[in-house]
Amino acid sequence: MIVAVKRKDPKRLIIKIVSIVALVIMFYSYYNHMSEEFVKQEQAAKAKQIETSQKDDKKAKSKKIERLIFREVETAIDLIGQEYVQQVKVVNRKILIVCDANTDLEALTVRYGTMALIKNGLKNTKVAIDLQFIIESKFNDE
């Protein structure tokens, strides 16, 4: 009969305790690290979402202003008469309309008043309509 005597080795017990403590510390630090990473990712996603919503707002606002300008140009051309209009441009917050010299611009001056600057030439008449006041008043209304 063989009898084995097992004794408790204090070195093995210390190694087991140290390894368990090291394992717990390692998992705890990994958990904290991943929590910080998730918070950073969430903040980045929120910032990106805010940025895209601001871009969408700017695009919507620019589209709205573009439609207002287009409507004003159409109105001005209808008041002048489309057959008399030679050229239309938008330059520096002004609509520049070049039309024939014998064009009746009375309806245009009644609608726009001092916002319409008229310059008569020998070959054509140039009309510059200020858009700033028109856009400010109509943009807030819609």
Side-chain angles (χ1 to χ4, degrees), residues 8 10 31 33 45-46 51 64 83 86-88 110 115 139:
K8 292 189 176 183
Y31 174 77
H33 173 70
K46 284 182 182 179
E51 184 178 311
K64 189 175 179 182
E83 63 272 4
Q86 295 174 356
Q87 189 177 21
V88 178
V110 169
M115 290 187 294
F139 186 75

Side-chain angles (χ1 to χ4, degrees), residues 6-112:
K6 292 187 176 181
R7 335 179 244 174
K8 292 189 176 183
D9 191 14
K11 290 181 182 178
R12 284 188 180 187
L13 182 64
I14 292 173
I15 290 174
K16 285 182 182 180
I17 292 173
V18 169
S19 63
I20 290 173
V21 169
L23 189 64
V24 168
I25 290 172
M26 186 173 61
F27 281 125
Y28 180 74
S29 62
Y30 178 73
Y31 174 77
N32 284 339
H33 173 70
M34 291 309 290
S35 295
E36 290 174 3
E37 289 295 320
F38 286 133
V39 168
K40 287 179 185 177
Q41 287 177 356
E42 187 176 313
Q43 288 176 349
K46 284 182 182 179
K48 192 172 187 178
Q49 184 180 15
I50 290 171
E51 184 178 311
T52 56
S53 67
Q54 288 175 347
K55 286 182 181 179
D56 291 342
D57 290 344
K58 286 182 180 181
K59 285 182 183 179
K61 195 181 275 188
S62 67
K63 289 282 188 185
K64 189 175 179 182
I65 290 173
E66 185 177 332
R67 277 184 267 138
L68 285 173
I69 291 171
F70 188 71
R71 285 186 200 141
E72 283 302 316
V73 169
E74 283 180 337
T75 305
I77 289 173
D78 287 341
L79 290 174
I80 293 172
Q82 189 171 1
E83 63 272 4
Y84 300 113
V85 176
Q86 295 174 356
Q87 189 177 21
V88 178
K89 293 181 185 178
V90 178
V91 180
N92 293 336
R93 296 184 183 179
K94 294 188 186 320
I95 301 171
L96 180 64
I97 302 172
V98 179
C99 52
D100 295 336
N102 59 352
T103 306
D104 182 27
L105 301 173
E106 190 66 32
L108 197 68
T109 56
V110 169
R111 177 169 170 94
Y112 294 110

